[in-house]
Amino acid sequence: MRYEYTVETEDLAKYYQMGEVVVKALDGINLRIRRGEYLSIMGPSGSGKTTLFNMIGGLDRPTRGRVYIDEVDISKLDAYELAWLRCRKIGYIFQTFNLIPVLTALENVTLPMIFAGVPREERLRRAIELLTKVGLGDRLHHKPAELSGGQQQRVAIARALANDPVIVLADEPTGNLDLHTGLEIITMLRNLNKEKGVTVFTATHDLKMIDVSDRIVWIRDGKIDRIEKRVDVVVSMEEM
Amino acid sequence: MSGAVGEARREVRFPISEAFRFSVESIRKRFTRALITAISIVLGVAFYVGLRTMSDIMIFIYGGSEAARSYQFWMAIISLIVCAVGILNSMLMAVTERTREIGTMKCLGAMDSHILMIFLIESSLIGIIGGVMGAVIGWVTGLLIYVGEHAAILFNPALLGSYALRIGEGVLIAMVLTVGATIYPAYYAASMDPADALRFEL
Ligand SMILES: Nc1ncnc2c1ncn2[C@@H]1O[C@H](COP(=O)(O)OP(=O)(O)OP(=O)(O)O)[C@@H](O)[C@H]1O
Ligand SMILES: [Mg+2]
């Protein structure tokens, strides 16, 4: 079955109680992400991008509101279904990479396939294929500490793609990288989106992302400030 | 490829054989850490079994006066506490420093039960290896201390039974404490929302 909206949020809010004050990290986000869309969330530091990433990815619980993935309210999923969602449907890319330090690049990429029940030989074959595709065919047996930041992020991308997810969530995937490496990562995400129709959602304050995004959602203090289609952005640039 | 989330029963799989392989691999990868943990178990259990063996021999030779009994009793309690604190401390540390890793595994599709399984196998292996080594070392040390004066009676059949009992106790204590001190923080980390586990700082 196909759904028009892969991700939908409804009045999504997350409040943190910090002593006396309530921090409204997210405050009533209504967002619909089309299947196959490349959507970027932009906003200043502390505006709630990571919080939104966590909510959409089913990694944290909202204070209020709902998240639907393919029209299913994820708060209604049981432990099996939630694990399945994280394992098969969504690929996560983190700003801090979050690779497992004691495992090699190859083993890190294999890990999600273990939980997906992929046989051992197939796991290795696919992990090698993915790592080769992200340009790390000669770094299979390196541990994260033996790789550069950009290389670690590429391992994380290969890991995110291991189980052929339909959605890739990326939280500042270029945040820790230099300009050139950042562009490479963006191109990689864009190709994935174009060629395989994967829905890509990135939280970022990297303006390079604007060129590849179908839509840009600007958030500020946990609220949607404005949403721009790429055509609008291009037009306004041409006007200048 | 993947369809709707709720259409049919979707499950992630993680058979015991896979968990076992993963756990052994994990111990191998962190060999130094595992060794430090194991050494604290070996020392704790050796201390306990050694002291108990010695007191068994003493009681066998001199008989047990009330005063001697209570002295032996307190020695046993103290050795048990020293052993327990050593094991608990090192296991709690070893698991807590892996909280972020647990969060990452949950993002990749691991269920709480998978995580517990991995840590259960890992801690059982470390517990049993550390426990057996500690018990044997403690027992041999206990014997060596008396071998000069009382070599003749050390292997008296009446003592053999209590040796076996002490070694068994030592291994059991190691297993229970190691597994317990691992499962509790592992369960705690696994039941956190992944976002919180990933943010966790020691
Ligand atoms: N666990 C938490 N406890 C308390 N407050 C939190 C927590 N996580 C986030 N916040 C607060 O929520 C707000 C939004 O944080 P968030 O991490 O989502 O911002 P961000 O847009 O990702 O910022 P950055 O660009 O710096 O990564 C911030 O004000 C932050 O202080
Ligand atoms: Mg952030």
Side-chain angles (χ1 to χ4, degrees):
Chain A
M1 234 195 290
R2 300 203 129 234
Y3 301 93
E4 189 179 0
Y5 296 107
T6 299
V7 179
E8 244 182 294
T9 72
E10 196 180 276
D11 188 31
L12 193 63
K14 178 74 176 181
Y15 297 168
Y16 292 103
Q17 185 78 45
M18 302 299 284
E20 295 285 280
V21 286
V22 176
V23 178
K24 298 183 174 182
L26 289 180
D27 197 12
I29 299 278
N30 290 293
L31 194 61
R32 287 170 153 188
I33 305 176
R34 253 188 206 84
R35 171 174 290 274
E37 191 169 28
Y38 193 122
L39 188 116
S40 290
I41 299 281
M42 299 234 174
S45 184
S47 56
K49 301 182 296 296
T50 298
T51 312
L52 184 58
F53 167 93
N54 287 336
M55 296 296 152
I56 290 179
L59 305 181
D60 206 350
R61 261 175 282 230
T63 309
R64 185 183 79 226
R66 309 206 168 279
V67 174
Y68 300 88
I69 306 276
D70 281 346
E71 303 191 350
V72 175
D73 178 351
I74 63 170
S75 70
K76 300 238 158 63
L77 299 180
D78 64 23
Y80 290 97
E81 292 164 327
L82 193 57
W84 186 87
L85 179 85
R86 292 177 188 147
C87 183
R88 308 297 298 270
K89 195 132 190 164
I90 302 179
Y92 304 88
I93 300 168
F94 303 92
Q95 179 175 7
T96 47
F97 316 136
N98 290 344
L99 298 173
I100 298 195
V102 294
L103 300 184
T104 63
L106 188 64
E107 290 161 334
N108 265 290
V109 179
T110 330
L111 195 54
M113 292 187 267
I114 297 184
F115 299 116
V118 178
R120 212 172 129 74
E121 290 72 35
E122 171 65 15
R123 292 203 296 258
L124 285 176
R125 193 194 59 68
R126 179 148 172 79
I128 292 172
E129 181 190 306
L130 283 165
L131 282 167
T132 309
K133 204 185 283 176
V134 297
L136 292 176
D138 55 347
R139 294 283 191 282
L140 300 178
H141 303 292
H142 287 236
K143 290 189 181 149
E146 299 156 2
L147 295 169
S148 73
Q151 290 170 334
Q152 290 185 52
Q153 194 59 301
R154 283 187 273 163
V155 175
I157 291 182
R159 181 181 67 181
L161 302 182
N163 290 328
D164 253 326
V166 289
I167 305 167
V168 167
L169 299 181
D171 186 13
E172 307 203 23
T174 59
N176 282 329
L177 307 177
D178 65 52
L179 193 83
H180 175 72
T181 322
L183 265 174
E184 270 180 21
I185 300 287
I186 292 173
T187 310
M188 233 173 251
L189 288 173
R190 184 55 178 168
N191 290 342
L192 187 71
N193 170 259
K194 273 273 170 282
E195 289 160 15
K196 299 184 103 184
V198 174
T199 307
V200 177
F201 174 98
T202 64
T204 182
H205 31 216
D206 186 343
L207 293 174
K208 295 191 293 297
M209 280 287 186
I210 291 183
D211 296 335
V212 297
S213 308
D214 295 322
R215 278 194 300 161
I216 299 113
V217 177
W218 298 83
I219 64 170
R220 179 173 293 274
D221 300 330
K223 293 196 172 88
I224 292 182
D225 195 26
R226 62 183 193 279
I227 300 182
E228 286 172 342
K229 284 207 170 65
R230 182 149 51 117
V231 271
D232 304 341
V233 182
V234 172
V235 167
S236 68
M237 277 176 157
E238 280 169 354
E239 281 168 352
M240 296 194 296
Chain B
M1 224 173 53
S2 343
V5 184
E7 276 169 6
R9 187 112 196 118
R10 309 290 198 173
E11 285 192 12
V12 285
R13 274 183 289 163
F14 195 55
I16 291 272
S17 58
E18 208 64 83
F20 196 82
R21 200 202 319 261
F22 191 91
S23 302
V24 172
E25 204 42 28
S26 173
I27 293 176
R28 209 175 59 78
K29 299 256 175 191
R30 289 172 240 270
F31 189 71
T32 320
R33 193 73 176 92
L35 199 66
I36 292 169
T37 316
I39 286 173
S40 78
I41 299 171
V42 169
L43 288 178
V45 172
F47 187 66
Y48 176 80
V49 173
L51 279 183
R52 296 310 302 267
T53 303
M54 284 160 65
S55 78
D56 287 343
I57 297 171
M58 292 287 276
I59 288 172
F60 179 77
I61 296 171
Y62 301 112
S65 69
E66 273 306 306
R69 283 259 171 80
S70 97
Y71 171 75
Q72 305 293 359
F73 175 77
W74 285 109
M75 280 305 279
I77 294 288
I78 290 166
S79 63
L80 190 61
I81 291 173
V82 170
C83 167
V85 168
I87 294 177
L88 291 176
N89 180 45
S90 56
M91 290 315 286
L92 286 173
M93 279 304 292
V95 183
T96 311
E97 69 186 15
R98 287 169 68 184
T99 303
R100 292 186 58 175
E101 177 182 330
I102 292 175
T104 305
M105 300 217 308
K106 286 193 71 175
C107 294
L108 303 180
M111 296 183 61
D112 299 7
S113 57
H114 301 155
I115 304 217
L116 290 183
M117 198 149 74
I118 291 170
F119 280 91
L120 188 68
I121 297 172
E122 264 190 62
S123 59
S124 306
L125 289 174
I126 294 181
I128 205 149
I129 294 171
V132 169
M133 280 176 61
V136 170
I137 291 173
W139 174 63
V140 171
T141 310
L143 293 186
L144 287 178
I145 287 176
Y146 288 113
V147 82
E149 296 172 68
H150 305 293
I153 56 100
L154 285 185
F155 290 99
N156 187 301
L159 275 174
L160 293 184
S162 59
Y163 292 157
L165 187 68
R166 296 304 168 218
I167 290 175
E169 273 175 15
V171 176
L172 189 72
I173 291 170
M175 284 288 284
V176 169
L177 289 177
T178 309
V179 172
T182 305
I183 287 304
Y184 174 72
Y187 175 79
Y188 181 77
S191 56
M192 275 159 114
D193 284 316
D196 295 327
L198 290 177
R199 221 184 350 243
F200 186 84
E201 301 276 347
L202 213 54

